[in-house]
Amino acid sequence: MKEFVISEAKAETAILVGLVTPGQDEAKTKEYLDELEFLADTAGAVTRKRFTQKVNGPSQVTYVGKGKLQEIKQYIDDCEEADEPVGMVIFDDELSAKQIRNIENELKVKILDRTSLILDIFAMRAQTANAKTQVELAQYRYMLPRLQRLWTHLERQGGGSGSGGGKGSVGLRGPGETQLEMDRRIILQRITLLKQRLVEIDKQKTTQRKNRGRLIRVALVGYTNVGKSTIMNLMAKSEVFAENKLFATLDTTVRKVVIENLPFLLADTVGFIRKLPTDLVDSFKSTLDEVREADLLLHVVDISHPDFEEQIRVVDQTLKDLECSDKPTMIVFNKIDNYKWVEKDEDDLTPETRENIDLEQLKRTWMARLNDNCLFISAKKKENIDDFRDILYKKVRELHVQKYPYNDFLYPQVEE
């Protein structure tokens, strides 16, 4: 708690850097940088400025071109002279060890990429032994191919016997290389240990799931910060941590919910995000087992988000990667109280966009084909929650009859 207060009092300032490429236009880059700024804010950093560059693809040496890098450096130097130093520069894509080293040498400030920022947030949010183990494993996997960058200050001490120490030298290796190999071995051993620990945790969780009885399992899935935890609190009358921050929930929380005479299990899972690090997905597979073993998925969507349709695609792809795309799914469009639209003027002849469509019109688009697999609510304002409960009850009851046809919950014994 003390550290949190300190970081709030003196938050680090950050610069964000993104690219506009043939496959990512300016509007998309802006959306990604908006999300990156939200990530930085979640980590406790204040964004001061953004830099973008139009290129065919990232430079293998410095991500951005030399001219843009000099522009960023000049801005950092100007801030330093004004006694408002920049704490870090955050890049919207994952950087290689070579790119990080070259950029650090030029800018002389802390360099982060999207992946390391997400890992920092996960480390900050992890509460249980399971989450901490998974985050640590992901951090070591990220660190392993970037170890060489950590020992560049020892390169000058390298060399073989004699004064040359070139490529053809024979003799003792430099201390930098020796330390690098030692650290690599330590990290590989640590990764093996963490994997073993996760296997043990997974066995314990599997046993817990088996002991939950003959109940239908429902899992809340969706993009991060769409309101899954708020829905969990509403349905289960529980107190799962909910906050307007990315990745407020890391650990899967399971609660027993009863609607009318029907009990079932409701799980709140970690949110997904664009460009989610592969190492993080791999590390969190045991947490996502609740998704794999669910009988019904409630795909929660923030309909007030300007890019909610791409968020849906991101979640659908992640579910496909987890081999869960064939499960019964219901889309719950949340935050209807925040939905905003702009009515076009009569003399405006430009093509109509989604921003010009009100909520009722939006419901009559592709969403209309989803029938009762689609619902619009506001968990915060408790709008349409009764309809949500009714539809959820019908779906769970139908699954329950299929899976447990002789269960007493649905067919209670009548005393004669």
Side-chain angles (χ1 to χ4, degrees):
M1 186 66 186
K2 186 177 179 183
E3 290 182 3
F4 178 77
V5 172
I6 291 173
S7 63
E8 284 289 305
K10 192 178 179 181
E12 281 194 278
T13 55
I15 292 173
L16 309 184
V17 182
L19 297 180
V20 179
T21 64
Q24 183 175 299
D25 60 20
E26 288 185 32
K28 189 64 63 182
T29 299
K30 181 183 180 302
E31 289 169 11
Y32 286 169
L33 289 179
D34 286 345
E35 188 169 84
L36 191 65
E37 182 170 345
F38 201 177
L39 284 165
D41 176 64
T42 300
V46 177
T47 299
R48 180 174 291 175
K49 190 174 176 62
R50 299 179 178 188
F51 287 90
T52 59
Q53 184 178 30
K54 277 188 178 181
V55 289
N56 289 327
S59 162
Q60 299 300 310
V61 181
T62 53
Y63 183 75
V64 293
K66 290 183 179 179
K68 182 60 66 174
L69 197 64
Q70 284 302 313
E71 185 183 337
I72 297 170
K73 177 176 172 53
Q74 185 61 55
Y75 179 81
I76 292 172
D77 291 343
D78 291 345
C79 289
E80 189 74 35
E81 288 181 12
D83 201 23
E84 295 178 351
V86 172
M88 67 188 82
V89 180
I90 308 172
F91 291 78
D92 191 43
D93 293 294
E94 190 167 305
L95 301 175
S96 68
K98 179 181 178 181
Q99 288 172 322
I100 295 174
R101 182 171 65 248
N102 292 334
I103 296 168
E104 276 184 343
N105 288 340
E106 190 67 32
L107 301 184
K108 311 297 184 186
V109 294
K110 182 165 60 176
I111 303 301
L112 294 177
D113 59 16
R114 188 183 183 93
T115 299
S116 58
L117 181 60
I118 291 174
L119 288 172
D120 282 350
I121 294 169
F122 269 57
M124 181 174 65
R125 296 284 187 180
Q127 298 294 324
T128 66
N130 187 24
K132 289 176 180 177
T133 303
Q134 291 172 102
V135 172
E136 188 179 352
L137 176 59
Q139 286 176 321
Y140 279 127
R141 280 174 163 169
Y142 173 82
M143 190 188 303
L144 191 60
R146 295 166 177 81
L147 268 181
Q148 188 175 354
R149 178 178 68 92
L150 302 177
W151 291 103
T152 52
H153 65 287
L154 291 176
E155 286 177 354
R156 287 186 296 273
Q157 300 175 26
S161 56
S163 59
K167 286 185 180 178
S169 302
V170 178
L172 294 175
R173 293 175 177 176
E177 191 172 3
T178 305
Q179 185 66 55
L180 179 66
E181 290 179 352
M182 189 183 302
D183 282 358
R184 189 185 300 277
R185 187 165 58 252
I186 290 170
I187 286 180
L188 287 171
Q189 290 172 349
R190 186 66 182 166
I191 286 174
T192 301
L193 179 65
L194 291 169
K195 283 181 177 179
Q196 291 172 349
R197 191 177 298 169
L198 284 177
V199 168
E200 294 170 4
I201 292 173
D202 194 35
K203 286 179 181 177
Q204 294 171 1
K205 286 185 170 288
T206 302
T207 303
Q208 290 173 3
R209 285 192 286 269
K210 286 180 180 177
N211 291 336
R212 286 173 185 165
R214 298 166 66 182
L215 295 175
I216 291 297
R217 299 174 187 174
V218 180
L220 294 161
V221 298
Y223 211 76
T224 181
N225 202 45
V226 294
K228 298 187 299 297
S229 296
T230 304
I231 292 174
M232 165 68 94
N233 290 336
L234 193 64
M235 298 299 293
K237 297 181 175 63
S238 59
E239 294 184 1
V240 176
F241 181 65
E243 186 184 12
N244 186 30
K245 296 280 188 181
L246 299 180
F247 304 115
T249 301
L250 284 192
D251 293 290
T252 299
T253 305
V254 182
R255 295 285 185 269
K256 183 177 179 181
V257 177
V258 180
I259 300 179
E260 296 186 25
N261 65 329
L262 177 61
F264 62 92
L265 296 174
L266 183 63
D268 181 20
T269 62
V270 62
F272 304 141
I273 196 170
R274 287 175 287 205
K275 304 181 185 179
L276 189 66
T278 305
D279 289 341
L280 212 50
V281 175
D282 290 341
S283 298
F284 270 74
K285 276 183 176 173
S286 61
T287 292
L288 295 170
D289 277 342
E290 289 293 346
V291 178
R292 288 196 192 89
E293 298 193 14
D295 300 293
L296 173 65
L297 301 180
L298 298 182
H299 182 170
V300 184
V301 177
D302 176 4
I303 199 168
S304 69
H305 194 284
D307 203 27
F308 74 84
E309 287 176 297
E310 185 181 344
Q311 292 186 351
I312 291 175
R313 287 191 288 271
V314 170
V315 174
D316 285 344
Q317 183 58 50
T318 307
L319 290 174
K320 187 176 180 181
D321 294 341
L322 293 169
E323 300 179 354
C324 299
S325 56
D326 59 340
K327 288 184 178 292
T329 304
M330 175 179 170
I331 296 187
V332 182
F333 289 102
N334 190 26
K335 304 189 182 182
I336 58 173
D337 55 306
N338 285 339
Y339 185 84
K340 293 179 177 63
W341 65 288
V342 180
E343 188 173 7
K344 288 180 60 176
D345 295 330
E346 291 182 4
D347 57 348
D348 186 353
L349 301 180
T350 57
E352 197 171 62
T353 63
R354 192 189 67 74
E355 287 72 24
N356 307 129
I357 301 175
D358 66 25
L359 189 55
E360 292 307 314
Q361 288 177 292
L362 189 62
K363 290 178 183 179
R364 293 194 291 271
T365 60
W366 59 270
M367 301 170 188
R369 298 192 295 273
L370 297 172
N371 299 318
D372 63 348
N373 285 324
C374 170
L375 192 67
F376 299 83
I377 70 167
S378 169
K380 186 177 180 180
K381 300 288 185 180
K382 299 183 180 178
E383 295 181 41
N384 296 345
I385 298 304
D386 288 340
D387 290 342
F388 177 43
R389 289 179 185 273
D390 290 343
I391 292 175
L392 184 55
Y393 170 79
K394 289 174 185 175
K395 289 187 175 296
V396 173
R397 187 182 190 282
E398 182 181 336
L399 290 167
H400 206 129
V401 170
Q402 293 172 5
K403 196 169 183 179
Y404 310 115
Y406 304 108
N407 194 295
D408 290 342
F409 288 128
L410 293 176
Y411 304 106
Q413 298 294 322
V414 178
E415 295 184 5
E416 297 184 30

